[in-house]
Amino acid sequence: RESDHRAWTPVTYTVTRQNATIQGLIQGKAYFFRIAAENIIGMGPFTETTKEILIRDPITVPDRPEDLEVKAVTKNSVTLTWNPPKYNGGSDITMYVLESRLIGKDKFHKVTKEKMLDRKFTVEGLKEGDTYEFRVSACNIVGQGKPSFCTKPITCKDEIAPPTLDLDFRDKLIVRVGEAFSLTGRYSGKPAPKVTWLKDDAVVKEDDRIKIKTTPTTLCLGVLKSVREDTGKYCVTVENSTGSRKGFCQVNVVDRPSPPVGPVIFDEVFKDHMVVSWKPPLDDGGSEITNYIIEKKDTHKDLWMPVTSATVKTTCKIPKLLEGREYQIRIYAENLYGISDPLISDEMKAKDRFRVPDAPEQPVIKDVTKDSAVVVWNKPYDGGKPITNYIVEKKETMATRWVKATKDPIFPGTKFKVPDLLEGCQYEFRVSAENEIGVGDPSPPSKPIFARDPIAKPSPPVNPEAVDKTKNSVDLSWQPPRHDGNGKIIGYLIEYQKVGDEEWKQANLTADSCPETNYKVTGLTEGLTYKFRVKAVNAAGESDPAHVPDPVEVKDRLEPPELILDANMAREQHVKAGDTLRLSAVIKGVPFPKVTWKKEDHEVSPKADIEVTGVGSKLEIRNTVHEDGGMYSLTVENPAGSKTVSVKVVVLDKPGPPRNLKVSDVRSDSCYLTWMEPEDDGGSVITNYVVERKDVASAQWVAISSSSKKRSHMAKYLMEGTQYLFRVAAENQYGRGPYVETLKPIKAIDPLHPPGPPKNLHHVDVDKTEVSLVWNRPDRDGGAEITGYLVEYQEDGAEEWTKFQTVPMLDCVVTGL
């Protein structure tokens, strides 16, 4: 019986031995057993087991542990892991025994402590450079099992692996003030890397808000309740003896801006309006200021009135004021994340008042010498109070500090000679006006000037000469003057005179129109002779003229035409259909030659764009078609001669349709197609032909050959009695050309022939006017069913046969004889 039941269950009735095997027990259950002896008289009393028996398999030592692996090696330690044995011997594992053997020694030594159940252990205290083997055994209540297979020999030394870093955050992170954020990632390396967090190149320190958590494989920097000061560039560095890796994140903790910076300055105060200004907030909250909100309040009232909420400038006009009333101004800064606390101004009464003079306009500098210059300016607005003094300042152009030109008052004149300049230095000047209120803003700086004596007129240009000429122009060239008069040469004036006249005419009106040392004089009359002269001009004026030595007769200088071909005309041109054809050449010759483009000695296509410039010509045809191919010629001609070049242009396109498509040898299941190559192969070799067929009752064409290189094809697998159309197209490397189609359909039937002669013709009856004839079918029907027999007769001695009639059967009675 089961230990928790009272009822006994018989397991056998006839046991003659002193032992029995009991089947059908449940593993893990506890049972009681009893036995009674029986003879012929009857059954004796039962004997019962004294205690319950738990049913389970026999207990043995456990199997050997599995998968003993080395996880880490240093110069004085080894870390190992293993898995439990597949079978624990029928009893729970009570501990593991880890053993090691120094290579070269015979015995294993136990290295684990008592009762170790962890399946991971670090063997420490090893000697650097020594080599060891390890094995592990499992123990249960019975004893210690077999050891695992040994590890490979392991030499104690530090493992080396460069750090790796895998981050979970991006390069930039935006966080609202008060929110938390974390920067996390994973890392590895041997020996174990050191993890360092930096913010703006300073080490991050933990506090109540900032927490740093680092495990052997993960890293994390967490910030609770972020503040604006947490904004910065964060850097995590993972470093060991083999190197380092860094990760960066720009964290921007955003908030509403701080208040604008005061005080509020009243730049202008009038009876009906004021102009105020302020400085931007010291902290824009990490986001650009989108606008300022300005409000005003009459100090006698508690109500703030809006002025504007849509200005980004740090100045504002406050309108609609009542004269004599005192006002306060309140200013807020706003960004994407909110509105700042306000900046409130002092009280200010709305009334007109005096102010410092305005800034003069930009002064003008005159009479410059090597050590002085005269500064001239216009009187500015005096601010309501008379101007009492002007302050003139100077500075070298590259300097930053302004220096007063004199300590003496300058008034009432509006010009002043500034002394003590350094020769050759470049100066700027500015002027401020002063009244009893104060000194006004300075004027804009003057144009820079060099402190040097006034310049003189330059000397004449050197060696003017005529270097080229045409029938209406002369090209002149010269060298700069030997002396520029201490001033920059602005340019040159060119004049010409007809021989015999007294008047010199200007070829150019202003010197700056000819800054170089050459000029083309145009508008001259062919055949006349002219004199030429050139003057140099600087700020001081014109130099004396320099004359071209000899008069020049105006006529064309003849040079025969010359063509310099561009690459697109140097050899045969191949252009794909649809692309643009460009032919061009550089043209030389005096006078400039007449340019003519032709194709096959005819005018080029109207769609061709022809451009002729002073140095060459270009022909361009867009969206070319095959007909644009051919021999193109370019002819240039002038009185000195002519020259022609030609280039062959091939427009590459799909081929034309094949020619003379014919169908022959028609059978019930096939026919033979032949054709000729297209007249136009598209400029490329025909690669293959495409043959298609179509049942006349269908709209669908079916390909029967797409790779044939021959100009014929046997069309097979036709259906007898069906009518077919056929078409063929040619292909080259640029595509498939148009199809040529059979003119009329063909019917798939075998060819028909006349039948053979009937056999065994004889008569079976004769009368005076009629004869009965019979005969047999001919040997061949000609490929079709015989429809009838034609009966003819001939009188004896006559030459012609007379038709009697056509009969369907193999007999006939000829009458009327």
CSV table of all heavy atoms in Angstrom, one decimal, residues 230-253:
chain,number,residue,atom,x,y,z
A,230,ASP,N,24.0,71.6,-16.7
A,230,ASP,CA,24.4,70.3,-17.2
A,230,ASP,C,24.6,70.3,-18.7
A,230,ASP,O,25.0,69.3,-19.3
A,230,ASP,CB,23.2,69.3,-16.9
A,230,ASP,CG,23.1,69.0,-15.4
A,230,ASP,OD1,24.1,69.1,-14.7
A,230,ASP,OD2,22.0,68.8,-15.0
A,231,THR,N,24.4,71.4,-19.4
A,231,THR,CA,24.7,71.5,-20.8
A,231,THR,C,26.2,71.4,-21.0
A,231,THR,O,27.0,72.0,-20.3
A,231,THR,CB,24.2,72.9,-21.3
A,231,THR,OG1,22.8,72.9,-21.2
A,231,THR,CG2,24.6,73.1,-22.8
A,232,GLY,N,26.6,70.7,-22.0
A,232,GLY,CA,28.0,70.6,-22.3
A,232,GLY,C,28.3,69.4,-23.2
A,232,GLY,O,27.4,68.7,-23.6
A,233,LYS,N,29.5,69.3,-23.6
A,233,LYS,CA,30.0,68.2,-24.4
A,233,LYS,C,30.5,67.1,-23.5
A,233,LYS,O,31.5,67.2,-22.8
A,233,LYS,CB,31.1,68.6,-25.4
A,233,LYS,CG,31.5,67.6,-26.4
A,233,LYS,CD,32.5,68.1,-27.4
A,233,LYS,CE,32.8,67.1,-28.4
A,233,LYS,NZ,33.8,67.6,-29.5
A,234,TYR,N,29.8,66.0,-23.5
A,234,TYR,CA,30.2,64.8,-22.6
A,234,TYR,C,31.0,63.9,-23.4
A,234,TYR,O,30.8,63.6,-24.6
A,234,TYR,CB,28.9,64.1,-22.1
A,234,TYR,CG,28.2,64.9,-21.0
A,234,TYR,CD1,27.3,65.9,-21.4
A,234,TYR,CD2,28.3,64.6,-19.7
A,234,TYR,CE1,26.6,66.7,-20.4
A,234,TYR,CE2,27.6,65.3,-18.7
A,234,TYR,CZ,26.8,66.4,-19.1
A,234,TYR,OH,26.1,67.1,-18.1
A,235,CYS,N,32.0,63.3,-22.8
A,235,CYS,CA,33.0,62.4,-23.4
A,235,CYS,C,33.2,61.2,-22.4
A,235,CYS,O,33.4,61.4,-21.3
A,235,CYS,CB,34.3,63.1,-23.7
A,235,CYS,SG,35.6,61.9,-24.3
A,236,VAL,N,33.0,60.0,-23.0
A,236,VAL,CA,33.3,58.8,-22.2
A,236,VAL,C,34.6,58.2,-22.9
A,236,VAL,O,34.6,58.0,-24.1
A,236,VAL,CB,32.1,57.8,-22.2
A,236,VAL,CG1,31.7,57.4,-23.5
A,236,VAL,CG2,32.5,56.6,-21.3
A,237,THR,N,35.6,57.9,-22.0
A,237,THR,CA,36.8,57.3,-22.5
A,237,THR,C,37.0,55.9,-21.9
A,237,THR,O,36.8,55.7,-20.7
A,237,THR,CB,38.0,58.2,-22.1
A,237,THR,OG1,37.8,59.5,-22.6
A,237,THR,CG2,39.3,57.6,-22.7
A,238,VAL,N,37.2,54.9,-22.7
A,238,VAL,CA,37.4,53.5,-22.3
A,238,VAL,C,38.9,53.2,-22.7
A,238,VAL,O,39.2,53.2,-23.9
A,238,VAL,CB,36.5,52.5,-23.0
A,238,VAL,CG1,36.7,51.1,-22.5
A,238,VAL,CG2,35.0,52.9,-22.7
A,239,GLU,N,39.7,53.0,-21.7
A,239,GLU,CA,41.2,52.9,-21.9
A,239,GLU,C,41.8,51.8,-21.1
A,239,GLU,O,41.5,51.5,-20.0
A,239,GLU,CB,41.8,54.3,-21.5
A,239,GLU,CG,43.3,54.3,-21.8
A,239,GLU,CD,43.9,55.7,-21.4
A,239,GLU,OE1,43.2,56.5,-20.7
A,239,GLU,OE2,45.0,56.0,-21.8
A,240,ASN,N,42.7,51.0,-21.8
A,240,ASN,CA,43.6,50.1,-21.1
A,240,ASN,C,44.9,50.2,-21.7
A,240,ASN,O,45.2,51.1,-22.5
A,240,ASN,CB,43.0,48.6,-21.2
A,240,ASN,CG,42.9,48.1,-22.6
A,240,ASN,OD1,43.5,48.7,-23.6
A,240,ASN,ND2,42.3,47.0,-22.8
A,241,SER,N,45.8,49.3,-21.4
A,241,SER,CA,47.2,49.4,-21.9
A,241,SER,C,47.4,49.3,-23.4
A,241,SER,O,48.4,49.6,-23.9
A,241,SER,CB,48.0,48.3,-21.2
A,241,SER,OG,47.5,47.0,-21.5
A,242,THR,N,46.3,48.8,-24.1
A,242,THR,CA,46.5,48.6,-25.5
A,242,THR,C,45.9,49.8,-26.3
A,242,THR,O,46.1,49.9,-27.5
A,242,THR,CB,45.7,47.3,-26.0
A,242,THR,OG1,44.3,47.5,-25.7
A,242,THR,CG2,46.2,46.1,-25.2
A,243,GLY,N,45.2,50.7,-25.7
A,243,GLY,CA,44.7,51.8,-26.4
A,243,GLY,C,43.4,52.4,-25.7
A,243,GLY,O,43.2,52.1,-24.5
A,244,SER,N,42.7,53.2,-26.4
A,244,SER,CA,41.5,53.8,-25.8
A,244,SER,C,40.5,54.1,-26.9
A,244,SER,O,40.9,54.2,-28.1
A,244,SER,CB,41.9,55.1,-25.1
A,244,SER,OG,42.4,56.1,-26.1
A,245,ARG,N,39.3,54.2,-26.5
A,245,ARG,CA,38.2,54.6,-27.4
A,245,ARG,C,37.4,55.7,-26.7
A,245,ARG,O,37.2,55.7,-25.5
A,245,ARG,CB,37.2,53.4,-27.7
A,245,ARG,CG,37.9,52.3,-28.6
A,245,ARG,CD,38.2,52.8,-30.0
A,245,ARG,NE,37.0,53.2,-30.7
A,245,ARG,CZ,36.2,52.4,-31.3
A,245,ARG,NH1,36.4,51.1,-31.4
A,245,ARG,NH2,35.1,52.8,-31.9
A,246,LYS,N,36.8,56.6,-27.5
A,246,LYS,CA,36.0,57.7,-27.0
A,246,LYS,C,34.7,57.8,-27.7
A,246,LYS,O,34.6,57.5,-28.8
A,246,LYS,CB,36.8,59.1,-27.1
A,246,LYS,CG,38.1,59.2,-26.3
A,246,LYS,CD,38.7,60.5,-26.4
A,246,LYS,CE,40.0,60.7,-25.6
A,246,LYS,NZ,40.6,62.0,-25.7
A,247,GLY,N,33.7,58.3,-26.9
A,247,GLY,CA,32.4,58.6,-27.4
A,247,GLY,C,32.0,59.9,-26.9
A,247,GLY,O,32.3,60.3,-25.8
A,248,PHE,N,31.3,60.7,-27.8
A,248,PHE,CA,30.9,62.1,-27.5
A,248,PHE,C,29.4,62.3,-27.6
A,248,PHE,O,28.8,61.6,-28.4
A,248,PHE,CB,31.6,63.1,-28.4
A,248,PHE,CG,33.2,63.0,-28.3
A,248,PHE,CD1,33.9,62.2,-29.1
A,248,PHE,CD2,33.8,63.8,-27.3
A,248,PHE,CE1,35.3,62.2,-29.0
A,248,PHE,CE2,35.2,63.8,-27.2
A,248,PHE,CZ,35.9,63.0,-28.0
A,249,CYS,N,28.9,63.2,-26.8
A,249,CYS,CA,27.5,63.6,-26.9
A,249,CYS,C,27.4,65.0,-26.5
A,249,CYS,O,27.8,65.4,-25.4
A,249,CYS,CB,26.6,62.7,-26.1
A,249,CYS,SG,24.8,63.1,-26.2
A,250,GLN,N,26.8,65.9,-27.3
A,250,GLN,CA,26.6,67.3,-27.0
A,250,GLN,C,25.2,67.4,-26.3
A,250,GLN,O,24.2,67.2,-27.0
A,250,GLN,CB,26.7,68.2,-28.2
A,250,GLN,CG,26.4,69.7,-27.9
A,250,GLN,CD,27.4,70.3,-27.0
A,250,GLN,OE1,28.6,70.1,-27.2
A,250,GLN,NE2,27.0,71.0,-26.0
A,251,VAL,N,25.1,67.6,-25.0
A,251,VAL,CA,23.9,67.6,-24.3
A,251,VAL,C,23.5,69.1,-24.1
A,251,VAL,O,24.3,69.9,-23.7
A,251,VAL,CB,24.0,66.9,-22.9
A,251,VAL,CG1,22.7,67.1,-22.2
A,251,VAL,CG2,24.3,65.5,-23.1
A,252,ASN,N,22.3,69.4,-24.6
A,252,ASN,CA,21.8,70.8,-24.4
A,252,ASN,C,20.6,70.8,-23.5
A,252,ASN,O,19.5,70.2,-23.9
A,252,ASN,CB,21.5,71.4,-25.8
A,252,ASN,CG,21.2,72.9,-25.7
A,252,ASN,OD1,21.5,73.5,-24.7
A,252,ASN,ND2,20.6,73.4,-26.8
A,253,VAL,N,20.7,71.2,-22.3
A,253,VAL,CA,19.6,71.3,-21.4
A,253,VAL,C,18.9,72.7,-21.6
A,253,VAL,O,19.5,73.7,-21.3
A,253,VAL,CB,20.0,71.1,-19.9
A,253,VAL,CG1,18.8,71.2,-19.0
A,253,VAL,CG2,20.8,69.8,-19.8
